[in-house]
Structure formats: structure tokens, C-alpha cells
Amino acid sequence: MKHTYKVLGVLILLYSFTAGMLVPLSPGIQQATPTSIRTNQTVDIAVTGYNTYYESGAESLRAWLKLNNELALAAEEVMVDSETAATLRFQIPAYLPSRERVQEMALVMDNAVDGASVLPNAVFVTQDSINPAEGEKVWQNSSIESLHDRAGMTFPFRNILGESIRNTYFHVSLWFAMIFMLGAAVWQSVAYLRKKSFERDNKAVSFTQVGVLFGILGVATGAVWANYTWGAPWSWDIKQNTTAVALLIYFAYFILRNSFDDQEQKARIAAVYSIFAFVSMILLLYVIPRLSDSSLHPGNGGNPAFGGEDLDNTMRMIFYPAIIGWTLFGTWLANVIIRAKRLEEQQMETLEMELEA
């Protein structure tokens, strides 16, 4: 039974890796051009799809420019070029039912094979003259209804993230596992301060080592993700900066431990520092970035945290198990380190006894 959590952790990680990499993304709209149009003209919008089947579903293919939750403009003609390319013809009225000079519109497409897909802020329409009352008269509203659902399991397609959305199962789940490992280290540190047991100290430093390892892996996977979505592996985002500071604080933990020769003094100082480091990390990762308006990270700087925008129910089937898998795997690694430290101590005691004899 003592090996159950190890086997379970490995199996869960294998499931997360396999499903996370093999399940396809939902059909989506990669690009629509032109992105800037004017009122009172007929415009052809070229669409590039991703994982789409425009040709196979040509008979049922429909498209709309969505102004708001109540108003949408249907495409007058849909011309399919290939499975991933189509041209949509819209007649933009002379006036819009809006007082904004420039109005952004989302593009909605639907067919029986792909289901529905949306490209937010697909085009920006500039009004030559603003007259909302006249706009309500000339606007040919078309309700977006009877949308199709795509069969099968897919991950959501997000135009900015693309295939990199799969990094959620690595980057984000590693950070959660890191928190659990460092939280366990704090628990063991508090236990040491209460009971003065060096076994507790060994456990505290072992969980800290695994937690920092997961933190480094989290930074590395985050840099790969940032390079794809933000254009650079390190863009000095506030959460990137505070994360670097948090890891430096934990690096100092190991330096501090090694600066003392007395085992009891080393353990006591390290235990107190571990509590300080954990509290600092929480402030640096989850409090300070939320006070800034400039962070690009979800959940910070006004950006929504992972929810309906980026993490749907299909992804949760992989994401939450990945957190459990990394946590169990990290516990296994920590226990391996703990056993290695015990063996090292036993060897040192044996050596000392032999020298005394």
C-alpha cells in the first residue's frame, strides 16, 4: 500500500500527458482580413480557419458580424475556398445603431461539421457619419440562432494561445504542485520548532528542494509560453519579476542553511526562514501582481483568471488530474531525498563509531 500513491501519481501524469497532447483543439478562426472597414460598402472578408472543415460543411456554413448581444449582420454570400479558407461578403449599412465612431465587431461562423466558432474583435468598422436613429432603420438584423455543436472531445481554440493552450497542464499545474510542496515544507518546519526533531528538518528541506525544482520548471515552461504568446521569453511582466524574486528568496534558504555548522542552529534558523519565505512567496505571486494594472497574466492586471475564457470542462478533466499527478510525484521525490538523507546520516554515524573504536 505504501507504493500506491507513487503508482497513482505516475499513471495520472501519463494520462495527463497523453490526453493533453493528443486531444485536438476545437475548430476556430485564426484570422480575418481586412480588419478595418467603413460603412456604406460591400466588403469581402477572407477567413483562415484552424482545424476547420468549411468545404465539407459548405451547405450549412453561415457567418455573422456581431455588433452586440442583440444585433448581428449576416453574410450575404459565403464562398468556400478550402477546408480552412473562406470568403465572406457583407453589405455594411451607411449607418450603425451606435454612437461610437469606430465600432468593433466579432465574427461568428457556424456549420454542421465544425459547430460554432468566434473571433472576438475581428473587424473595426468606422462610421463616416454618426446617426444611431438612422442606423436602427437601415441595420438588417439577423439573429444568431440554431448553432451546431461539434461532436467529440476537443480543447477550446483561443486565437492568441493556439496549440500552446496545452501548456496549461504543465506550467500552471506545476505551480500548484510547487505551492503544495512548499506548504508541506512549512508544515514540517513548524513541527520541527515544536518538537525539535531532526527528522522534521530533513523533511522540510526535502520538500523545499522539490518545490524549488517545480518552481524552476514552472518558470521554464512559462518562458516558452511567453515567447509564443507575448513574443519574448521574458517581457518583465510584473508576475515574472515577482516570481524571480520569490525563487531568489528560496535560493537564499539553501545558502542560509549551509552557512551554519551546528545542526540544531541550522535547523532552527532554516525553519523560521522557511515560514518567512512561504509568506513572502504568496504575497509576491498572488497579491502584489493583482495590485498592478499592467500584468499580462490571467488573474492579474485586470485579466480574467483561468475560467470559461481559457479553461473549459474538457480541459478541467486533464488540468485537475495533472495537479494531483505532479503533487503525488513531488511527494515521491521528496521521500526519496528524505531516505537518502537518512542513509547518509546512518553512514556518518557508523563511520564515527568505527573511528572511535
Side-chain angles (χ1 to χ4, degrees):
M1 292 293 293
K2 66 179 181 179
H3 299 298
T4 302
Y5 80 95
K6 304 174 187 176
V7 176
L8 184 60
V10 171
L11 290 177
I12 291 175
L13 283 179
L14 286 174
Y15 158 74
S16 299
F17 293 166
T18 304
M21 298 305 293
L22 295 183
V23 172
L25 267 60
S26 299
I29 305 170
Q30 275 191 313
Q31 187 178 16
T33 54
T35 57
S36 179
I37 58 180
R38 306 188 73 86
T39 53
N40 197 29
Q41 64 178 223
T42 300
V43 59
D44 288 345
I45 297 178
V47 175
T48 302
Y50 186 85
N51 280 352
T52 53
Y53 293 91
Y54 294 152
E55 201 166 28
S56 301
E59 293 184 1
S60 58
L61 185 59
R62 299 173 296 165
W64 300 266
L65 285 177
K66 182 180 177 183
L67 181 63
N68 52 42
N69 291 332
E70 290 79 31
L71 301 176
L73 186 69
E76 291 189 343
E77 187 177 358
V78 177
M79 296 159 280
V80 175
D81 304 314
S82 67
E83 294 286 22
T84 58
T87 302
L88 313 174
R89 179 163 294 167
F90 291 93
Q91 178 60 52
I92 310 300
Y95 302 95
L96 300 181
S98 169
R99 293 188 178 278
E100 299 292 333
R101 170 70 66 180
V102 179
Q103 182 68 57
E104 61 187 37
M105 295 188 185
L107 175 63
V108 181
M109 297 184 68
D110 175 75
N111 67 57
V113 181
D114 297 328
S117 52
V118 181
L119 179 60
N121 306 328
V123 298
F124 293 84
V125 182
T126 301
Q127 298 192 74
D128 294 322
S129 300
I130 300 176
N131 191 331
E134 188 65 25
E136 292 179 0
K137 295 179 182 178
V138 299
W139 181 270
Q140 298 296 319
N141 192 53
S142 302
S143 299
I144 302 176
E145 56 188 13
S146 302
L147 298 178
H148 297 87
D149 291 324
R150 178 185 169 89
M153 181 177 178
T154 58
F155 296 145
F157 174 83
R158 298 293 180 259
N159 185 257
I160 296 177
L161 298 178
E163 291 286 350
S164 74
I165 198 171
R166 303 178 191 276
N167 202 10
T168 304
Y169 312 128
F170 302 93
H171 174 64
V172 184
S173 58
L174 275 167
W175 279 114
F176 274 94
M178 177 197 71
I179 296 296
F180 296 146
M181 294 298 102
L182 297 178
V186 170
W187 179 270
Q188 297 298 335
S189 296
V190 172
Y192 169 79
L193 293 174
R194 293 177 58 190
K195 301 180 179 180
K196 305 302 181 191
S197 168
F198 289 123
E199 177 68 12
R200 294 289 189 174
D201 177 58
N202 283 339
K203 290 182 178 180
V205 68
S206 299
F207 277 108
T208 302
Q209 288 173 331
V210 175
V212 171
L213 172 62
F214 282 179
I216 294 172
L217 292 175
V219 169
T221 53
V224 173
W225 208 352
N227 189 57
Y228 181 85
T229 57
W230 300 344
W234 197 272
S235 57
W236 301 102
D237 178 85
I238 184 171
K239 195 158 189 176
Q240 288 180 320
N241 297 336
T242 55
T243 297
V245 173
L247 284 178
L248 288 174
I249 290 174
Y250 268 101
F251 291 157
Y253 167 88
F254 300 111
I255 297 174
L256 184 66
R257 280 187 64 89
N258 293 327
S259 65
F260 295 96
D261 294 325
D262 182 74
Q263 182 67 22
E264 184 176 350
Q265 189 180 24
K266 175 190 293 187
R268 184 175 66 256
I269 296 298
V272 173
Y273 188 90
S274 177
I275 299 170
F276 158 77
F278 187 80
V279 174
S280 299
M281 180 191 64
I282 296 300
L283 292 174
L284 287 166
L285 296 187
Y286 300 105
V287 178
I288 294 177
R290 291 178 181 272
L291 302 178
S292 171
D293 294 329
S294 60
S295 179
L296 297 172
H297 270 85
N300 308 117
N303 294 317
F306 282 102
E309 293 298 318
D310 298 305
L311 192 67
D312 69 351
N313 289 332
T314 302
M315 292 190 69
R316 291 186 179 95
M317 295 169 58
I318 317 296
F319 176 63
Y320 294 137
I323 296 174
I324 297 172
W326 282 117
T327 302
L328 293 176
F329 184 69
T331 303
W332 182 9
L333 286 179
N335 284 327
V336 169
I337 298 172
I338 292 168
R339 289 198 298 270
K341 291 181 184 296
R342 287 176 188 160
L343 291 174
E344 184 180 353
E345 290 174 356
Q346 291 174 2
Q347 289 176 349
M348 291 295 295
E349 290 175 359
T350 302
L351 182 61
E352 290 175 0
M353 291 176 62
E354 289 177 351
L355 292 174
E356 289 176 358

PDB file of all heavy atoms in Angstrom, residues 10 33 96 135 234 329:
ATOM      1  N   VAL A  10       2.218   8.408 -11.111  1.00  0.00           N
ATOM      2  CA  VAL A  10       2.777   8.165 -12.444  1.00  0.00           C
ATOM      3  C   VAL A  10       1.666   7.938 -13.460  1.00  0.00           C
ATOM      4  O   VAL A  10       1.697   8.474 -14.579  1.00  0.00           O
ATOM      5  CB  VAL A  10       3.740   6.971 -12.412  1.00  0.00           C
ATOM      6  CG1 VAL A  10       4.158   6.581 -13.831  1.00  0.00           C
ATOM      7  CG2 VAL A  10       4.967   7.292 -11.571  1.00  0.00           C
ATOM      8  N   THR A  33      -9.362  39.052 -42.644  1.00  0.00           N
ATOM      9  CA  THR A  33      -8.828  40.266 -43.280  1.00  0.00           C
ATOM     10  C   THR A  33      -9.804  40.755 -44.351  1.00  0.00           C
ATOM     11  O   THR A  33     -10.416  39.945 -45.038  1.00  0.00           O
ATOM     12  CB  THR A  33      -7.456  39.987 -43.942  1.00  0.00           C
ATOM     13  OG1 THR A  33      -7.573  38.874 -44.831  1.00  0.00           O
ATOM     14  CG2 THR A  33      -6.403  39.678 -42.895  1.00  0.00           C
ATOM     15  N   LEU A  96     -24.590  52.912 -38.405  1.00  0.00           N
ATOM     16  CA  LEU A  96     -24.650  51.862 -37.392  1.00  0.00           C
ATOM     17  C   LEU A  96     -25.514  52.328 -36.223  1.00  0.00           C
ATOM     18  O   LEU A  96     -25.539  53.523 -35.905  1.00  0.00           O
ATOM     19  CB  LEU A  96     -23.245  51.523 -36.867  1.00  0.00           C
ATOM     20  CG  LEU A  96     -22.217  51.026 -37.884  1.00  0.00           C
ATOM     21  CD1 LEU A  96     -20.888  50.728 -37.174  1.00  0.00           C
ATOM     22  CD2 LEU A  96     -22.719  49.782 -38.606  1.00  0.00           C
ATOM     23  N   GLY A 135     -29.344  54.528 -38.091  1.00  0.00           N
ATOM     24  CA  GLY A 135     -28.700  53.218 -38.080  1.00  0.00           C
ATOM     25  C   GLY A 135     -29.666  52.106 -37.716  1.00  0.00           C
ATOM     26  O   GLY A 135     -29.613  51.000 -38.271  1.00  0.00           O
ATOM     27  N   TRP A 234      10.981  36.495 -21.832  1.00  0.00           N
ATOM     28  CA  TRP A 234      10.930  37.297 -20.595  1.00  0.00           C
ATOM     29  C   TRP A 234      10.620  38.730 -20.982  1.00  0.00           C
ATOM     30  O   TRP A 234      11.440  39.417 -21.592  1.00  0.00           O
ATOM     31  CB  TRP A 234      12.253  37.221 -19.840  1.00  0.00           C
ATOM     32  CG  TRP A 234      12.126  37.679 -18.415  1.00  0.00           C
ATOM     33  CD1 TRP A 234      12.262  38.953 -17.952  1.00  0.00           C
ATOM     34  CD2 TRP A 234      11.809  36.879 -17.281  1.00  0.00           C
ATOM     35  NE1 TRP A 234      12.053  39.005 -16.604  1.00  0.00           N
ATOM     36  CE2 TRP A 234      11.777  37.735 -16.152  1.00  0.00           C
ATOM     37  CE3 TRP A 234      11.550  35.516 -17.097  1.00  0.00           C
ATOM     38  CZ2 TRP A 234      11.492  37.274 -14.871  1.00  0.00           C
ATOM     39  CZ3 TRP A 234      11.282  35.062 -15.819  1.00  0.00           C
ATOM     40  CH2 TRP A 234      11.255  35.927 -14.728  1.00  0.00           C
ATOM     41  N   PHE A 329       3.770  12.954  -7.499  1.00  0.00           N
ATOM     42  CA  PHE A 329       5.132  12.711  -7.981  1.00  0.00           C
ATOM     43  C   PHE A 329       6.145  13.504  -7.150  1.00  0.00           C
ATOM     44  O   PHE A 329       7.229  13.007  -6.810  1.00  0.00           O
ATOM     45  CB  PHE A 329       5.225  13.099  -9.451  1.00  0.00           C
ATOM     46  CG  PHE A 329       6.565  12.808 -10.078  1.00  0.00           C
ATOM     47  CD1 PHE A 329       6.972  11.505 -10.298  1.00  0.00           C
ATOM     48  CD2 PHE A 329       7.418  13.843 -10.430  1.00  0.00           C
ATOM     49  CE1 PHE A 329       8.219  11.229 -10.870  1.00  0.00           C
ATOM     50  CE2 PHE A 329       8.663  13.585 -11.005  1.00  0.00           C
ATOM     51  CZ  PHE A 329       9.061  12.266 -11.215  1.00  0.00           C
TER      52      PHE A 329
END
